[in-house]
Amino acid sequence: MASAVLGDLSSTSALAAGNLRQAQGKSIGVFTSGGDSQGMNAAVRAVVRMGIHVGFRVYYIHEGYQGMVDGADNIKEATWTSVSGIIQQGGTVIGSARCQDFRERAGRLKAAANLVKLGISNLVVIGGDGSLTGANCFRQEWAGLLEELEKKGEITAEQSKNCSHLNIVGMVGSIDNDFCGTDMTIGCDTALHRIMESVDAITTTAQSHQRTFVMEVMGRHCGYLALVTALACGADWLFIPEWPPEADWEDHMCRRLSELRTAGSRLGIVIMAEGAIDQKGSAITSNRVKEIISTRLGHDTRVTVLGHVQRGGNPSAFDRVLGCRMGAEAVLALLEAKPDTPACVVSLDGNQAVRVNLMECVERTQQVAAAMKKGNFENCVSLRGRSFRNNLEIYKILSHVKPPNNPQQSPVVVRRLSRCSVDGATNSFSPPVTSTSNRCPVPAKRPRWSADDNNPLKTGFECEHVFNIGIMNVGAPAAGMNAAVRSAVRTAILNGHQPYAIYEGFEGLAEGRLKKLNWMDVGGWVGSGGAKLGAKRTQPAKLGLPQIASKFKEFNLSALIIIGGFEAYDSVLQLAEARPQYKEFCIPMVVIPCTISNNVPGTEFSLGTDTALNAITDICDRIKQSASGTKRRVFVVETMGGYCGYLATLAGLAGGADAAYIFEERFGMRDLQTDVEHLAKKMVEGVERGLILRNEKCNENYTTDFIYQLYCEEGKGIFSARKNVLGHMQQGGCPSPFDRNLGTKLAAKSVAFLAEKMHNNYKEEGGRVVVECNEEDTACLIGLNRRTVQFSPVTHIKSQTDFQDDTLTRTVSIEEAEEFSMTTTLTPVTHLKAWSDFKHRLPREQWWLKLRPLLRILAKHESVYEVEGTEASIE
């Protein structure tokens, strides 16, 4: 999530000296098995460096289980410098291979002998469910294998005693994201990046020639990649194995594509997983889909099968940080393990690393396959987890609805949606009701969509009016803004309301620059960078609240969505506080946080942050490559973020930086001198490059120029230095898959929230229908906190950002872990003010600061890292 890089080091205890001593004399073996995935190298690097940091000897096991069976040079001791420079590499540098020998007891006997002779009794397995199942089987047989080896004289009694039990910790490396028990597997986010790059490229040529493209992505038994891709690109049709189309899907698909072409769309995009099937379990191939479209519609249709390109390329920032965090947590899990500790897998539950019983996860994953085989597709979707279900529901809502007949007009289209299937076959609508005036039309029957724990856009039927919803951007442009606007517009139309685009923020509102938007007006917006509505920082108080209030009344705005950063939050706060003086502001309002700085109170993640983080990481990769070519060179790189050090810290972790200077963590000359000495020592040890990141406002005296000059002077004769100021390139580019999906989902949930508030607070006044509400919980900021999507009243942030968790490490089930997740909650907003630093535009609590020690440890600084993982079980 993105991750988006998710993470909250909620934890229990710092590494104590006693725990460090427990690792002395012990060894860890780390290997990758099964299919490769981007981010595996980041995990290997973290295991090696965290392992050495706490006192383990760490061994690479090359070529997976085959290397374990063959032994000899396939098992080598790792050093700190041996993993230098691998974090940005795709694939796995220690190799991966399928191993038939390990399936037999004789092969496992050889593997055990090779491990025991090196004193390895702890294994970190990075792979899929097959690799993890094999590791658990190995663990269960361990005692018997050692007894047999000792009887044969292949190992001594002392060696057997020293390695009397085998502890296993797994990490899931798979681009398919098909493992139950974790929100994201290592490599999935990068695969989505590769897919979206291809979709974006194909979209341009498809528009030029008015073509329809059928794009096949990986996912033989799991449709996650196809589903998220469809949501991120606004695909016109989707095939996934978990939710096969209706029996007459061919007719419905052709009708859908024909309607879109008639409405003005110049292209069609069909996304399908390679394992797509129909209701009877028969395969649906991309070529078959192409033939149906070409024959029935006459569309120029092409097929693109992406194949193994999805596995390739450098890992995304998310996968790098995920690999770092999981690798470090795996080592700490082994450090704490006892002889009877069951094998666990380090998983991601929202923004927290958890340890889940390995076999419980494997069994849950196998249940999905069993449900699919039996044709129980509802259960199949349910077993995939709440996030998968929500993605599917929102995709169905936004994509499989007939657009207005006349895209040149801006009608309010009111439909009654009984059930929306993934193929659109069961859509049923009431006749459209149109309105061309700014005033609310005659009451109409319309669906009521409300926030719900299981379905974010649950429908019901109420007698309501058609209301005007204003949508604007406030602040600096950030990737994901347009995706949020598109989602808000279409969800508002589905709710029977009229969305209004407010151009150039409050300045545009003051000038009356409003325009009605219809369904097709926002077609193709989901993948566009920048801000199509424009974005201004000007806040309402500066323009004059009376003028803003008059415009609210003139356009009869009944609700407001503001997409933006700290300025957007502050603007809603100003309007909410002015409600006693201006009743025009007594309408429901929502802030969708969208800024690359990630500095908005009430949420842990803002739209645009993930895209900016990937841009910085990519640039740092190129800079490091330059440094490697020139040898013994240190680069000082300045990032954006205002006073917030999120980008510098997370980019430092993803880019393998040596240090990241931020405002939130004070530093002085002694710290700078220590870092210079660290880099000098690093050069001597053979790593002939260095990377230093500096947040743009970390210190008014220790500027980028000052730090650069300091490194130049102090590094004379040892290394040279260069500086780079990245500037506004961090704000540009197409949004990442994470930002596209996050913007889509947050906006859909926001409209559902507004619709409910408008329904509960409208009245007749002076011959017209108005909405009037003054409660705290009607002016909200929607945010992601831990694993929960929250509407946070600005003044109640303390209750929503209590990131400390002093509970002891424990085991919870997958079901229990899901209870932490994706529940939409509504909390009054006005309390955010007490938890905001308005001078520096920062929240007073920031979860990511707990990642700082990990950054320094992996850069070989002395630091203390807090245990992150909560142990979890299925039940």
Side-chain angles (χ1 to χ4, degrees), residues 649-689:
T649 298
L650 272 293
L653 195 55
D658 297 282
Y661 302 128
I662 63 173
F663 172 78
E664 295 90 341
E665 192 174 274
R666 302 297 184 182
F667 63 96
M669 282 300 301
R670 183 174 298 179
D671 301 298
L672 294 172
Q673 185 61 39
T674 299
D675 289 340
V676 170
E677 293 169 357
H678 160 73
L679 283 166
K681 183 179 179 182
K682 178 180 175 178
M683 300 294 175
V684 172
E685 292 176 349
V687 182
E688 298 183 330
R689 63 186 176 278

XYZ file of all heavy atoms in Angstrom, residues 649-689:
314
model
N 14.252 10.271 4.018
C 14.463 9.050 4.789
C 14.134 7.799 3.991
O 14.934 6.861 3.920
C 13.609 9.083 6.075
O 14.028 10.184 6.881
C 13.757 7.801 6.866
N 12.953 7.772 3.377
C 12.544 6.574 2.628
C 13.372 6.390 1.360
O 13.697 5.266 0.983
C 11.060 6.645 2.305
C 10.096 6.095 3.353
C 10.244 4.592 3.506
C 10.274 6.759 4.695
N 13.738 7.504 0.704
C 14.603 7.392 -0.470
C 15.991 6.917 -0.051
O 16.650 6.176 -0.780
C 14.700 8.730 -1.200
N 16.428 7.344 1.126
C 17.705 6.870 1.640
C 17.697 5.380 1.890
O 18.655 4.667 1.573
N 16.593 4.880 2.439
C 16.476 3.446 2.694
C 16.380 2.668 1.383
O 17.015 1.616 1.223
C 15.229 3.200 3.553
C 15.080 1.850 4.246
C 16.292 1.517 5.116
C 13.816 1.825 5.080
N 15.609 3.186 0.430
C 15.440 2.504 -0.857
C 16.676 2.607 -1.737
O 16.934 1.726 -2.561
C 14.235 3.082 -1.601
N 17.433 3.679 -1.571
C 18.607 3.878 -2.426
C 19.911 3.433 -1.808
O 20.962 3.562 -2.435
N 19.860 2.915 -0.585
C 21.085 2.474 0.071
C 21.993 3.626 0.441
O 23.215 3.527 0.326
N 21.402 4.738 0.897
C 22.195 5.922 1.238
C 22.978 5.709 2.533
O 22.612 4.891 3.383
C 21.286 7.136 1.373
N 24.040 6.484 2.679
C 24.870 6.416 3.889
C 24.312 7.283 5.009
O 24.561 7.015 6.185
C 26.300 6.856 3.554
C 26.949 5.923 2.554
O 27.389 4.837 2.966
O 26.984 6.268 1.356
N 23.572 8.324 4.654
C 22.969 9.185 5.662
C 21.868 9.999 5.004
O 21.879 10.224 3.787
C 24.002 10.117 6.293
N 20.907 10.433 5.816
C 19.833 11.308 5.338
C 19.578 12.345 6.414
O 19.192 12.001 7.538
C 18.574 10.502 5.042
N 19.816 13.608 6.109
C 19.666 14.694 7.079
C 18.263 15.287 6.961
O 17.831 15.679 5.867
C 20.712 15.779 6.833
C 22.128 15.264 6.891
C 23.027 15.501 5.854
C 22.578 14.537 7.996
C 24.326 15.032 5.910
C 23.879 14.055 8.063
C 24.746 14.301 7.009
O 26.035 13.832 7.070
N 17.561 15.355 8.081
C 16.186 15.837 8.079
C 15.963 16.817 9.222
O 16.712 16.837 10.203
C 15.183 14.670 8.196
C 15.362 13.928 9.531
C 15.315 13.718 7.021
C 14.293 12.880 9.797
N 14.916 17.606 9.117
C 14.588 18.607 10.116
C 14.172 17.961 11.439
O 14.510 18.455 12.518
C 13.455 19.498 9.588
C 12.895 20.451 10.604
C 13.571 21.623 10.925
C 11.694 20.182 11.245
C 13.057 22.506 11.872
C 11.166 21.052 12.185
C 11.853 22.224 12.501
N 13.430 16.849 11.368
C 12.875 16.229 12.570
C 13.942 15.617 13.463
O 13.691 15.378 14.651
C 11.865 15.137 12.191
C 10.623 15.643 11.495
C 10.764 15.683 9.985
O 11.917 15.659 9.491
O 9.742 15.749 9.304
N 15.099 15.325 12.928
C 16.182 14.712 13.699
C 17.371 15.660 13.683
O 18.097 15.755 12.705
C 16.554 13.357 13.085
C 17.462 12.520 13.952
C 17.678 11.137 13.357
O 16.854 10.238 13.608
O 18.679 10.959 12.614
N 17.541 16.373 14.778
C 18.580 17.403 14.841
C 19.965 16.811 14.636
O 20.252 15.694 15.087
C 18.530 18.128 16.185
C 17.187 18.794 16.493
C 16.868 19.890 15.487
N 15.639 20.585 15.823
C 15.110 21.553 15.086
N 15.714 21.933 13.983
N 13.983 22.132 15.446
N 20.822 17.573 13.979
C 22.198 17.129 13.780
C 23.112 18.346 13.840
O 22.675 19.487 13.661
C 22.347 16.401 12.444
C 22.057 17.255 11.234
C 23.086 17.888 10.544
C 20.754 17.435 10.781
C 22.827 18.672 9.436
C 20.484 18.222 9.668
C 21.513 18.838 8.995
N 24.376 18.084 14.111
C 25.348 19.160 14.228
C 26.673 18.785 13.596
O 26.792 17.773 12.903
N 27.678 19.574 13.864
C 28.992 19.362 13.258
C 29.589 18.016 13.647
O 30.252 17.362 12.839
C 29.946 20.482 13.663
C 29.737 21.774 12.881
S 29.961 21.555 11.078
C 31.636 20.961 11.020
N 29.347 17.601 14.872
C 29.892 16.311 15.299
C 29.290 15.171 14.480
O 29.995 14.223 14.097
C 29.623 16.092 16.785
C 30.223 14.801 17.339
C 30.052 14.713 18.838
N 30.755 15.804 19.510
C 30.753 15.990 20.830
N 30.053 15.169 21.608
N 31.417 16.987 21.358
N 27.990 15.264 14.204
C 27.338 14.230 13.381
C 27.879 14.245 11.958
O 28.132 13.180 11.368
C 25.826 14.468 13.361
C 25.212 14.430 14.740
O 25.281 13.376 15.387
O 24.685 15.468 15.174
N 28.077 15.430 11.424
C 28.629 15.527 10.070
C 30.035 14.956 10.004
O 30.387 14.249 9.054
C 28.613 16.987 9.609
C 27.235 17.635 9.413
C 27.382 19.129 9.144
C 26.483 16.963 8.272
N 30.832 15.255 11.013
C 32.189 14.738 11.052
C 32.201 13.213 11.164
O 32.996 12.523 10.514
C 32.962 15.344 12.236
C 34.440 14.957 12.281
C 35.208 15.408 11.056
O 34.979 16.508 10.545
N 36.105 14.567 10.567
N 31.280 12.674 11.964
C 31.177 11.211 12.103
C 30.835 10.569 10.763
O 31.388 9.521 10.406
C 30.106 10.857 13.145
O 30.480 11.401 14.416
C 29.943 9.348 13.275
N 29.953 11.197 10.001
C 29.573 10.648 8.706
C 30.724 10.722 7.707
O 30.893 9.825 6.870
C 28.355 11.397 8.161
C 27.091 11.076 8.945
O 27.069 10.033 9.626
O 26.133 11.867 8.883
N 31.519 11.777 7.778
C 32.699 11.873 6.912
C 33.662 10.738 7.230
O 34.207 10.078 6.324
C 33.390 13.239 7.077
C 34.742 13.237 6.357
C 32.516 14.357 6.530
N 33.893 10.499 8.511
C 34.795 9.412 8.925
C 34.250 8.048 8.499
O 35.007 7.165 8.090
C 34.987 9.458 10.433
C 35.747 10.702 10.910
C 35.714 10.876 12.425
O 35.049 10.048 13.103
O 36.320 11.834 12.929
N 32.937 7.895 8.599
C 32.306 6.643 8.166
C 32.547 6.403 6.676
O 32.873 5.287 6.249
C 30.805 6.700 8.459
C 29.979 5.727 7.672
N 29.971 4.373 7.912
C 29.127 5.918 6.616
C 29.163 3.768 7.059
N 28.635 4.692 6.269
N 32.378 7.450 5.859
C 32.593 7.306 4.420
C 34.045 7.026 4.086
O 34.348 6.236 3.191
C 32.107 8.569 3.701
C 30.584 8.680 3.538
C 30.179 10.084 3.135
C 30.085 7.671 2.507
N 34.940 7.657 4.822
C 36.366 7.406 4.590
C 36.701 5.946 4.863
O 37.431 5.296 4.098
C 37.198 8.332 5.486
N 36.163 5.413 5.957
C 36.393 4.008 6.290
C 35.775 3.091 5.243
O 36.345 2.065 4.860
C 35.797 3.712 7.664
C 36.041 2.293 8.153
C 35.431 2.092 9.540
C 35.649 0.655 10.010
N 35.023 0.415 11.338
N 34.623 3.473 4.749
C 33.928 2.698 3.723
C 34.769 2.606 2.452
O 34.861 1.540 1.820
C 32.580 3.356 3.435
C 31.735 2.710 2.356
C 30.428 3.476 2.202
C 29.620 2.921 1.043
N 28.320 3.615 0.881
N 35.399 3.723 2.087
C 36.237 3.727 0.895
C 37.421 2.776 1.053
O 37.799 2.055 0.123
C 36.735 5.144 0.598
C 35.639 6.175 0.347
S 34.705 5.860 -1.164
C 33.444 7.147 -1.058
N 37.991 2.772 2.241
C 39.134 1.903 2.509
C 38.737 0.439 2.395
O 39.501 -0.404 1.933
C 39.718 2.200 3.910
C 40.787 1.180 4.274
C 40.304 3.606 3.942
N 37.503 0.118 2.824
C 37.028 -1.267 2.801
C 36.645 -1.733 1.410
O 36.302 -2.897 1.214
C 35.831 -1.412 3.744
C 36.209 -1.263 5.219
C 34.996 -1.306 6.130
O 33.850 -1.248 5.594
O 35.158 -1.398 7.349
N 36.668 -0.838 0.441
C 36.441 -1.258 -0.935
C 35.151 -0.787 -1.575
O 34.924 -1.022 -2.762
N 34.254 -0.138 -0.820
C 33.030 0.410 -1.414
C 33.333 1.841 -1.824
O 33.356 2.745 -1.003
C 31.854 0.360 -0.419
C 30.589 0.894 -1.086
C 31.637 -1.058 0.080
N 33.559 2.066 -3.102
C 34.132 3.328 -3.553
C 33.086 4.326 -4.045
O 33.251 4.983 -5.064
C 35.174 3.058 -4.628
C 36.342 2.210 -4.097
C 37.411 2.004 -5.134
O 37.085 1.976 -6.350
O 38.576 1.875 -4.750
N 32.001 4.431 -3.309
C 30.982 5.426 -3.629
C 30.196 5.733 -2.364
O 30.136 4.938 -1.429
C 30.043 4.916 -4.721
C 29.264 3.691 -4.307
C 28.459 3.119 -5.460
N 27.781 1.886 -5.072
C 28.361 0.700 -5.048
N 29.636 0.580 -5.377
N 27.681 -0.383 -4.694
